[in-house]
């Protein structure tokens, strides 16, 4: 898959989703150790550089590798796809790690469409999705909060991906 994507879009950076990497780690961990493992993994994916992340990973492997070698192997296998994440600015990392909000809205869309079964026209389907979207923020105050939270990430994206972002006049 990474080769197919980079063949089509040359400037694409393929990376492992950190959230899914952490979730997959929990698959091998006992319930009683999940909080401790999450706490031990945090310094790895919040490290300022790849070298620092490797050092934190070595500490993690020393602490948990004996008990959960599958977690260590999982991270070692995914390391090449995980490393691009560390090259991004902290603000971009926050955006990348908050895909849960996107997954949440997609789940709400699926639930709404499944509940209605079928739609007589495409406009009816779009209206349904519009109403679901509006129900997420019934007062309309979320947009102002959203815009304020996105100023720092937008600046980081503009610097990191100079020339790749669309310029729009507001």
């Amino acid at each position: 898959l990474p080769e197919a994507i980079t063949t089509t879009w040359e400037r694409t950076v393929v990376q492992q989703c950190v959230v899914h990497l952490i979730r997959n780690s929990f698959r091998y961990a006992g319930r009683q150790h999940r909080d401790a493992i999450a706490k031990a993994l945090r310094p790895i994916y919040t490290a300022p550089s790849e070298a620092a992340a490797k050092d934190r990973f070595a500490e993690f492997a020393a602490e948990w590798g004996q008990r959960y070698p599958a977690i260590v192997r999982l991270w070692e296998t995914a390391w090449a796809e995980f490393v691009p994440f560390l090259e991004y600015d902290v603000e971009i990392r926050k955006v990348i790690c908050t895909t849960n909000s996107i997954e949440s809205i997609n789940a709400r869309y699926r639930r709404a469409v499944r509940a209605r079964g079928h739609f007589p026209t495409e406009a009816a389907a779009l209206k349904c999705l519009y109403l679901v979207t509006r129900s997420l923020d019934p007062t309309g105050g979320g947009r102002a909060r959203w815009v304020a939270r996105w100023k720092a990430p937008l600046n980081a994206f503009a610097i990191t991906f100079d020339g790749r972002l669309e310029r729009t006049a507001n």
Side-chain angles (χ1 to χ4, degrees):
L1 185 62
E3 292 82 20
I5 291 171
T6 54
T7 300
T8 305
W9 297 284
E10 304 89 32
R11 299 186 332 180
T12 299
V13 177
V14 178
Q15 69 175 44
Q16 175 72 36
C17 175
V18 176
V19 173
H20 289 105
L21 192 56
I22 293 167
R23 285 182 189 162
N24 289 338
S25 299
F26 291 154
R27 186 175 57 199
Y28 300 110
R31 277 195 158 337
Q32 70 274 22
H33 297 129
R34 286 187 181 177
D35 289 340
I37 288 174
K39 188 176 180 180
L41 287 173
R42 185 172 173 75
I44 299 170
Y45 63 86
T46 59
S49 67
E50 181 181 356
K54 264 189 182 166
D55 292 342
R56 301 298 83 77
F57 180 68
E59 292 169 7
F60 175 84
E63 182 180 354
W64 292 101
Q66 188 72 23
R67 183 173 287 214
Y68 297 115
I71 296 175
V72 173
R73 190 169 2 124
L74 173 73
W75 280 77
E76 287 172 345
T77 305
W79 193 263
E81 287 82 30
F82 164 70
V83 171
F85 175 77
L86 299 173
E87 296 173 10
Y88 292 121
D89 185 72
V90 174
E91 295 298 332
I92 294 175
R93 289 185 194 186
K94 286 180 188 175
V95 171
I96 292 172
C97 282
T98 56
T99 58
N100 284 341
S101 57
I102 295 168
E103 292 174 7
S104 173
I105 194 167
N106 286 337
R108 290 179 189 212
Y109 287 157
R110 279 192 300 274
R111 190 178 323 127
V113 169
R114 196 176 320 121
R116 281 147 188 87
H118 70 284
F119 298 93
T121 64
E122 184 177 331
L126 288 174
K127 184 175 181 179
C128 174
L129 296 178
Y130 171 78
L131 291 172
V132 169
T133 305
R134 294 296 298 170
S135 72
L136 298 173
D137 184 23
T139 63
R143 180 179 167 92
R145 288 191 315 273
W146 183 89
V147 169
R149 284 195 308 255
W150 271 87
K151 293 298 182 185
L154 284 174
N155 279 292
F157 278 117
I159 298 299
T160 303
F161 299 105
D162 188 33
R164 291 174 63 180
L165 296 178
E166 248 183 57
R167 308 255 187 244
T168 58
N170 288 341

